[in-house]
Amino acid sequence: MSTLGTPIQGVTLYSFTRASHARQYDLESLIRKVAAEGFGPGLELIGFSSLRGFPNRIEDRFIGEFRELVQEVDLVPTSLAVNVDTGLRRDRLMTQDEMVEYMRAQIEVAARLGFPIARVQISLTPDAMESLLPVAEKYGVTLALEVHADQHGAHERVLALRDRYEMLNSPLLGFTADWGATVTGFAPSLLEAYRRRGASEELLAAVVALWDGFYAEGPPITQKVHGERFGAFIGLAARYGRPELGIDFAINGTGLFGPASIDTWQEIMPFIRHVHGKFFGIDETGEEPSVPVRGLIAQLVESGYHGAISSEYEGWHWNNWQDPFEIIRGEHALQRAAAQDAGSSMITDSHSARELLHAHLAQPAHG
Amino acid sequence: MIADRIIELGTLRSHGGQTAVEVRIPWYRALPGSCIAGATLSVDGVEAPADSLRWGMNGRTFSFDELVQETDEWWFPLDSATLTGELPLREEITEHEVRVELKVYIPYIITDHGVLHIEENDTKTMKVEQR
């Protein structure tokens, strides 16, 4: 790469789910808090979490107020996370036409609110992404399909999407890389949560050993292997007399902590339009003990990445004893230090962020 | 998952044999009625008959059979829904143990066994606010 990347710092409001669910902040006060804390300039949110009436009942008055607020606090909208709710109905899955219309309505809201990216999800096939391209073109919104555990950058479904993107050659089709696909350990804060639920040290050591074994083997190459791993966590919990923890071990051990190597991101790097800086906690030394943040940032810098990273704190599911705002502050400090160590820096001013994001999204992957 | 907040403290009401409690979604995002697949309501160890349960949200009331078809009304993460059932309360008890079980579908996660569903429960102790 001729130029080093300068990723744009940011956050997704998903990180603060526990605080917003507790009604400690409404959308406006949470956005003001994020800006005041210096967690921007990049701002991401989830339509179905933060926007009442999403997507069909969003009034123009709300759109105007949102845009004014974001401008006033000087944040830069990056990605609106939208959902591919194929299983919305109980009698059958959505048809392709229904899915396109369902996504169109959400992508339209992204455009109205000023988000240049809509994060879409893995259940979209290459054909579905191709059928959504006219929608992306109509609204000028980039569709960044999230690569999330238990998939990864070199997964066959992801490579099939990449190959279709190559063929279509549009700057509006790409990926959101979620760091949860490339985790290096079972999160200590989750082990602490299990400890608080009375799990024995022997059981916790066995959970860690099981996950470490899967890490050594690499990510599951088939759905069958994925299912076997899921079942192994359930069996382990039962053997230690705590069957009620089994599903939780399995969901987190396979669906949150993906064991792929960070090299797998190279398979899709030119198509990475957005990044979820997924993490689970920051330890007393300022490091993320289970996500290789330093290596991931260095990789983006060396690859010339100028898009946004939304810090995405997922430890809120189980961690009800630490302040999520402090934890985000910690990951941002780590990201900035890592970028500096890689010979570059994170973008923290909104003016540069706007210019860089615009240029980053305008280029076809092989521009 | 935020199961510990399903039951809202201080919302237990009972009148004419009908008992109601307000509930919060244990998930981070809105779900439509069609994804609210089932619930139970028990007070002091007695469970309300399943066919008596009603789900109130957005100013409307649904039976669970009606929710199956409902894709227009959504349960927003900040809103309380009301779960009501036929359940006379024992007058001699002042602190009631309320238990709610909820089953919801996660419509974007399709597994080999169909659409993923999660089952959560919460138990809290409270006085009746209104008889």
Side-chain angles (χ1 to χ4, degrees):
Chain A
M1 281 292 162
S2 54
T3 59
L4 293 178
T6 53
I8 298 162
Q9 179 179 282
V11 72
T12 165
L13 298 188
Y14 178 72
S15 302
F16 312 112
T17 293
R18 194 168 273 277
S20 62
H21 187 277
R23 299 169 175 148
Q24 290 165 359
Y25 298 88
D26 63 11
L27 178 60
E28 179 181 342
S29 60
L30 186 54
I31 289 174
R32 288 187 184 280
K33 169 83 172 168
V34 160
E37 291 278 359
F39 291 161
L43 173 70
E44 174 165 7
L45 55 88
I46 300 175
F48 282 114
S49 293
S50 296
L51 309 176
R52 190 187 295 278
F54 183 77
N56 293 319
R57 298 180 194 167
I58 302 291
E59 295 177 2
D60 287 341
R61 197 177 76 168
F62 172 80
I63 298 283
E65 288 167 356
F66 180 87
R67 282 178 167 266
E68 280 173 26
L69 173 63
V70 167
Q71 190 171 23
E72 180 199 327
V73 300
D74 204 21
L75 291 175
V76 179
T78 54
S79 165
L80 180 71
V82 305
N83 285 104
V84 187
D85 291 336
T86 318
L88 197 71
R89 299 169 56 107
R90 295 281 59 79
D91 53 343
R92 59 174 174 79
L93 298 180
M94 276 184 196
T95 64
Q96 178 91 346
D97 287 350
E98 287 170 340
M99 185 277 298
V100 170
E101 172 52 27
Y102 192 76
M103 302 313 296
R104 187 207 61 75
Q106 298 181 68
I107 293 162
E108 181 184 17
V109 174
R112 288 166 72 202
L113 288 170
F115 286 93
I117 299 169
R119 182 293 311 259
V120 300
Q121 295 173 298
I122 191 72
S123 51
L124 293 175
T125 60
D127 285 348
M129 287 303 286
E130 185 166 350
S131 63
L132 284 169
L133 180 55
V135 177
E137 287 168 342
K138 176 179 177 185
Y139 296 107
V141 170
T142 295
L143 306 183
L145 186 142
E146 183 170 4
V147 179
H148 187 286
D150 55 296
Q151 273 84 36
H152 51 83
H155 191 280
E156 59 183 356
R157 283 165 76 177
V158 175
L159 296 181
L161 285 157
R162 180 201 63 183
D163 292 348
R164 187 67 63 91
Y165 293 172
E166 294 254 13
M167 195 187 84
L168 295 168
N169 194 31
S170 166
L172 297 177
L173 298 179
F175 294 107
T176 294
D178 185 293
W179 288 350
T182 50
V183 167
T184 53
F186 202 97
S189 67
L190 181 54
L191 295 172
E192 173 60 21
Y194 292 139
R195 195 172 282 123
R196 291 175 185 223
R197 289 169 68 181
S200 68
E201 292 304 320
E202 292 73 23
L203 172 55
L204 296 179
V207 167
V208 169
L210 185 60
W211 194 90
D212 286 348
F214 295 148
Y215 178 67
E217 288 171 21
I221 46 169
T222 63
Q223 283 305 111
K224 184 169 175 285
V225 173
H226 173 71
E228 286 167 1
R229 290 182 179 186
F230 198 93
F233 280 108
I234 292 174
L236 182 74
R239 281 202 303 283
Y240 280 80
R242 295 299 301 269
E244 78 284 4
L245 293 175
I247 292 278
D248 209 79
F249 290 163
I251 289 176
N252 294 318
T254 64
L256 279 189
F257 310 140
S261 132
I262 70 172
D263 294 342
T264 50
W265 293 125
Q266 295 296 354
E267 294 287 340
I268 57 168
M269 186 59 79
F271 295 94
I272 294 179
R273 295 304 192 202
H274 187 59
V275 171
H276 279 172
K278 169 71 56 64
F279 74 112
F280 308 101
I282 297 294
D283 68 17
E284 60 282 357
T285 68
E287 300 293 328
E288 209 315 343
S290 55
V291 179
V293 173
R294 288 180 180 274
L296 288 156
I297 291 280
Q299 182 184 46
L300 290 170
V301 166
E302 286 157 15
S303 302
Y305 180 77
H306 296 289
I309 300 174
S310 290
S311 271
E312 187 180 38
Y313 169 58
E314 188 116 30
W316 61 263
H317 283 289
W318 55 81
N319 186 333
N320 56 12
W321 62 89
Q322 279 183 300
D323 176 8
F325 297 98
E326 197 177 309
I327 294 173
I328 288 290
R329 205 174 294 126
E331 201 208 19
H332 276 170
L334 178 57
Q335 288 180 10
R336 289 194 301 267
Q340 204 154 25
D341 287 349
S344 182
S345 61
M346 298 288 295
I347 298 298
T348 56
D349 80 279
S350 59
H351 179 74
S352 305
R354 273 185 207 97
E355 286 192 345
L356 281 168
L357 187 61
H358 182 75
H360 167 71
L361 295 175
Q363 285 187 356
H366 298 296
Chain B
M1 207 58 56
I2 321 176
D4 54 315
R5 296 203 192 125
I6 291 177
I7 300 173
E8 291 212 82
L9 278 173
T11 63
L12 182 65
R13 300 188 306 278
S14 189
H15 181 73
Q18 294 286 316
T19 293
V21 70
E22 291 186 12
V23 293
R24 297 287 307 282
I25 196 167
W27 192 237
Y28 69 91
R29 54 156 285 199
L31 293 172
S34 58
C35 290
I36 303 164
T40 66
L41 169 64
S42 309
V43 180
D44 304 321
V46 181
E47 188 175 319
D51 60 0
S52 76
L53 291 173
R54 294 294 178 272
W55 185 263
M57 68 176 178
N58 305 342
R60 295 179 59 186
T61 302
F62 303 89
S63 68
F64 280 86
D65 282 348
E66 290 165 337
L67 282 175
V68 170
Q69 306 286 337
E70 187 54 60
T71 54
D72 288 329
E73 292 294 343
W74 291 68
W75 189 11
F76 191 63
L78 296 183
D79 293 345
S80 305
T82 306
L83 180 63
T84 306
E86 206 175 279
L87 195 60
L89 296 192
R90 288 163 59 189
E91 300 256 342
E92 73 276 17
I93 298 177
T94 51
E95 292 285 338
H96 297 281
E97 187 187 84
V98 181
R99 178 177 171 84
V100 170
E101 298 173 339
L102 261 184
K103 177 179 168 184
V104 295
Y105 281 97
I106 305 303
Y108 61 88
I109 302 182
I110 317 296
T111 73
D112 293 345
H113 310 289
V115 181
L116 180 71
H117 71 264
I118 54 174
E119 294 175 24
E120 292 291 343
N121 64 77
D122 188 18
T123 303
K124 290 200 174 85
T125 301
M126 65 189 85
K127 293 185 170 63
V128 181
E129 294 302 306
Q130 188 189 322
R131 281 190 194 272

